[in-house]
Amino acid sequence: MRQSAQMGDGTRAVRAGLPEASKNEPTLPGPVFAAHFHLPGDVSGPYTYGRDDNPTWTHLERAIGELEAPGQEGVDTLVFASGMAAISAVLFSQLRAGDVVVLPSDGYQVFPLVREQLTAFGIEVRTAPTGGDAQLDILDGAKLLWIETPSNPGLDVCNVRRLAEAAHTRGALVAVDNTLATPLGQRPLELGADFSVASGTKQLTGHGDILLGYVTCRDAELTASVRGWRKIVGAIPGPMEAWLAHRSLATLQLRAERQNANALALALALRGRDDIEGLRYPGLPDDPSHKIASQQMRRFGCVVSFTLPTRARAERFMEALRLVDDATSFGGVRSTAERRRRWGGDDVSEGFIRFSAGAEDPDDLVADVLRALDEAAA
C-alpha cells in the first residue's frame, strides 16, 4: 500500500516498503536467499528464478519508490548490484548505435570510461559542465540527457526542470543521478525527469557496508526495458545486501538531518579561512549554486569541497585528521575525506578535498577539521 504524500520524511522512512502486518510475522521479513522457487504446472506468479526477482528486492524497491515519489501511482523502482550497474542499465537499455547522449563533463569520475564504451558501440557522446545549465546548448538530436546535480565532486547544480523541459521538447529522455541529494533532498521525477538513478552505497544506506544501486521510473515501458537489461546482464544485488539496505532506510531522515547540519556547520566554519580556496556547499547562502538549489532541493547534502594550496598541504591535512577517515565514497555516518586528485579521473587540482560530513557531534567535527588545517599549515 503506497504511503500518503502528506507524511513527514521520518515517518515515511521508517514505514517505507513494509508489508501488511501479519500476526506472529516480523515487521520486516528476513532476506530470501532462494535461487529457484516451487513452480508446479504453468509458470505464473511474481517469483520464478533468483536472477529475475526476489521478495527481498520487492520490499526494498517499494520502499525506495515511496521515498522518490511519495503518493504517486505507477512508479517502479529496480535495484542493482551497484550504482554503476544502475547507471549502465539506463544507458545501455535506452541507447543504440547512431544515437546521441549528453553527459556532464564534470560528473562522476568513471564517466570517461563510460564514454569510451558508448563510443565503441557507435553512440555519439557530447559533454558539457553542470553549472549554468550548459548542457542545454548541445541537446539537439539527443536521445538521452544525463544530469548529475549536485555534481560530484565539484557540487555544481543545474536547473533540472528547465533542462528536462528542453530535452523533452527535443524528443530526448532525461535521467538524473540523485546520489548526492538522496530522495530526502531532491525528487527528480517531480522535476520532470524520466529516470531517477542513484548509488545506494552512499547516504541512502549510510554505513559504508553495502554496494547497491537503483533506478526509479514512472513509465512502464521504460521500466520494462531497464528490467530486461538487468535480467540479461545479471547485475542484481544479493538478498542480504537488499535486506540491510531496507533496514538502513529507517534511519535515513535522522542521519540526513545530522549529516547535512554538520556539512553546513563545517562550511560556515571554513568560509572565513584564507588557507583554502574554492569552498563549495550548495547550502551556503553565498554559494554559486545556492539559488537554484534552494528552488529544487529540500536538503543540500552532506558533502563539502574545498582546495588547499598544494598536494603536500592537502596530504598533511588528511594525516592530521583524527575523527575523519581517509577513504573514498561519501554519505556514511562516520565522516570521510580524501584528496580527490589521487584517483586521476576528476578535473580538480592536487589540493582538492572532497569532505563527507558524518553524524559526529558538530562541535567535535568542526574542531577536528580546524585543528588539522592549522597543523597542516605549520
Side-chain angles (χ1 to χ4, degrees):
M1 181 180 295
R2 188 165 293 278
Q3 297 180 13
S4 168
Q6 280 68 52
M7 283 184 180
D9 285 340
T11 303
R12 185 175 296 109
V14 301
R15 304 296 305 178
L18 298 181
E20 294 291 341
S22 180
K23 186 177 180 179
N24 303 127
E25 294 295 326
T27 304
L28 177 62
V32 175
F33 294 100
H36 59 264
F37 301 82
H38 287 295
L39 290 174
D42 294 336
V43 176
S44 62
Y47 306 112
T48 58
Y49 184 61
R51 191 180 71 251
D52 297 341
D53 225 328
N54 177 290
T56 310
W57 303 352
T58 300
H59 295 312
L60 175 61
E61 289 171 341
R62 288 174 180 167
I64 294 173
E66 289 168 7
L67 297 176
E68 282 278 353
Q72 296 186 33
E73 298 295 333
V75 172
D76 288 304
T77 295
L78 300 171
V79 289
F80 290 82
S82 68
M84 279 309 304
I87 290 170
S88 299
V90 173
L91 291 172
F92 293 109
S93 68
Q94 302 307 311
L95 298 171
R96 304 289 184 270
D99 287 341
V100 175
V101 61
V102 174
L103 303 179
S105 60
D106 53 348
Y108 182 46
Q109 57 111 356
V110 178
F111 265 122
L113 298 178
V114 173
R115 180 175 184 171
E116 289 180 14
Q117 191 61 66
L118 290 167
T119 302
F121 287 165
I123 297 163
E124 179 184 342
V125 180
R126 302 173 187 166
T127 63
T130 299
D133 299 342
Q135 290 172 304
L136 280 173
D137 297 332
I138 56 173
L139 277 178
D140 285 348
K143 173 70 178 299
L144 175 67
L145 167 64
W146 192 278
I147 297 170
E148 185 176 291
T149 182
S151 62
N152 174 25
L155 301 181
D156 273 322
V157 172
C158 60
N159 187 326
V160 175
R161 194 178 299 279
R162 181 188 183 202
L163 283 163
E165 290 176 354
H168 289 154
T169 297
R170 292 164 171 82
L173 297 170
V174 178
V176 175
D177 187 324
N178 205 34
T179 303
L180 269 163
T182 81
L184 267 60
Q186 184 171 262
R187 296 174 184 157
L189 298 187
E190 293 182 0
L191 297 171
D194 299 291
F195 303 96
S196 181
V197 188
S199 167
T201 308
K202 313 298 194 297
Q203 193 176 25
L204 187 81
T205 57
H207 293 80
D209 54 5
I210 303 169
L211 287 174
L212 193 83
Y214 69 86
V215 178
T216 300
C217 180
R218 67 160 54 89
D219 183 283
E221 187 174 336
L222 294 177
T223 300
S225 64
V226 176
R227 186 188 302 274
W229 181 262
R230 183 179 70 175
K231 177 182 174 71
I232 293 169
V233 176
I236 58 173
M240 191 66 190
E241 285 79 5
W243 184 85
L244 286 170
H246 197 169
R247 180 211 58 177
S248 298
L249 288 184
T251 61
L252 174 58
Q253 189 264 353
L254 297 173
R255 290 183 281 106
E257 288 295 326
R258 170 59 74 89
Q259 291 176 256
N260 295 5
N262 279 354
L264 178 59
L266 178 62
L268 289 170
L270 296 176
R271 191 162 53 170
R273 293 187 66 102
D274 58 8
D275 56 347
I276 68 171
E277 296 179 350
L279 174 65
R280 296 299 305 272
Y281 182 64
L284 283 174
D286 56 351
D287 187 272
S289 293
H290 181 72
K291 181 178 179 180
I292 185 60
S294 63
Q295 294 170 3
Q296 66 188 24
M297 298 183 72
R298 298 159 57 243
R299 294 174 175 84
F300 299 110
C302 63
V303 177
V304 178
S305 66
F306 56 92
T307 301
L308 294 172
T310 64
R311 171 176 175 170
R313 178 83 69 89
E315 290 176 342
R316 290 198 300 272
F317 166 70
M318 293 301 307
E319 291 172 0
L321 291 166
R322 296 171 184 163
L323 297 180
V324 182
D325 295 334
D326 188 342
T328 194
S329 198
F330 55 85
V333 291
R334 290 173 290 278
S335 291
T336 60
E338 68 174 336
R339 190 182 68 81
R340 191 63 186 164
R341 184 65 180 175
R342 65 182 178 174
W343 296 100
D346 296 309
D347 186 18
V348 295
S349 66
E350 291 286 356
F352 182 94
I353 301 293
R354 185 182 70 182
F355 193 104
S356 174
E360 298 87 358
D361 286 316
D363 290 345
D364 295 336
L365 181 61
V366 170
D368 187 51
V369 172
L370 296 182
R371 177 197 52 75
L373 285 170
D374 290 340
E375 290 186 12

